[in-house]
Amino acid sequence: MVSPDGGPVEDEASSAGNPDVDAREAFSLLGHEIRLEILLALLEDWVAIYTEPKSYAELMEAVGIRDSGKFNYHLDQLRGVYVRKVEDGYVPTASATALYRAVLAHRPTEPFAFDPTPIDADCPICGGGTVLRYERGFVSVDCEDCEEWIGFTYSFPRNGFESHDADDLLDVLDARVRHDLALARQDLCPDCSGSTTVDLRIDALGTDTPWKEPLDADAHWVELDCDTCSFTVGMDVVSAVVTDDRVAAALREIGVDPDRPLWALPAGRSRLESRDPPRLAVDLERDAGTVTVVVDAELTVESVTVRSS
Ligand SMILES: [Zn+2]
Ligand SMILES: [Zn+2]
């Protein structure tokens, strides 16, 4: 259902992000031992905005270098990008601390293997058993018994395995996905705070599709993409808007618990309500009735209706 951060279908080379941000230059600045020592000395005692700046002399001593010409040269290279001069000395920039936190979260130098683990959750399509996997920073849940369910994939820092077992992990992962989705729907990328763009993928419905003709629910999903970094999340319309109170209430009316994990929510059938302006309708049919949700191009819920059967 969900494939964030350049998920399984995306070519890695194409997810390099915004070409205006010069990643090569930023990384190349770190390629020197003295610069690394300066940065690590600053990050060692880092406590967000409350960090005491390190004076020039303290920094020089921490790095263990006596040649001030050499020290100045490398400090200067880092200035602006990773190091900032303030009144009482030097502090790391937000870029430096973000890189540091990424390393703490993903522990790139610690080998970590997680064997596929059966979990206490049923496949939403066939009811069969499911298995949890962890590869390259992504948690995924797949059905062991059928090919019909596309499964669920989402990024999760390796650090999260320290305090959560496989079953526990699903709950915190769902909380994380809902949180990220809520931000992304408000035009704020959860990874980089850049703007996000909604893609209703109307063209995926087929240009020849007669209007209001039901479409194959499994074949349609919508996307929320960051305009700056590689954050991208794809999901069915019901999952995308389930945090809307009206949608949640309507789902309860037809016996669907809106609080179950997003990946276990039933997907509705998408149809094109209007091409201009773009509007998608999704019908979710259960024994107790049918919920119809209409969303606009920004994934804002326009209307929710419940028809009892
Ligand atoms: Zn299945
Ligand atoms: Zn972003």
Side-chain angles (χ1 to χ4, degrees), residues 27-107:
F27 277 118
S28 70
L29 283 174
L30 300 173
H32 194 284
E33 205 177 330
I34 293 176
R35 279 175 237 160
L36 267 187
E37 290 303 329
I38 294 173
L39 209 53
L40 289 173
L42 288 172
L43 290 167
E44 227 168 35
D45 309 318
W46 178 66
V47 278
I49 196 81
Y50 307 105
T51 308
E52 288 289 324
K54 269 199 165 55
S55 72
Y56 181 87
E58 282 174 327
L59 202 52
M60 202 163 159
E61 196 188 324
V63 173
I65 185 169
R66 288 165 190 279
D67 181 343
S68 63
K70 208 181 213 178
F71 180 72
N72 281 340
Y73 170 76
H74 290 295
L75 183 60
D76 215 43
Q77 294 281 301
L78 292 171
R79 270 181 72 170
V81 182
Y82 295 116
V83 174
R84 200 156 75 90
K85 172 110 175 63
V86 292
E87 206 179 320
D88 308 327
Y90 296 87
V91 289
T93 63
S95 295
T97 56
L99 269 180
Y100 188 54
R101 276 180 293 173
V103 169
L104 296 182
H106 296 280
R107 306 181 179 210

Side-chain angles (χ1 to χ4, degrees), residues 123 125-128 143 145-147 149:
C123 165
I125 302 285
C126 77
C143 179
D145 300 314
C146 80
E147 301 275 306
W149 186 43

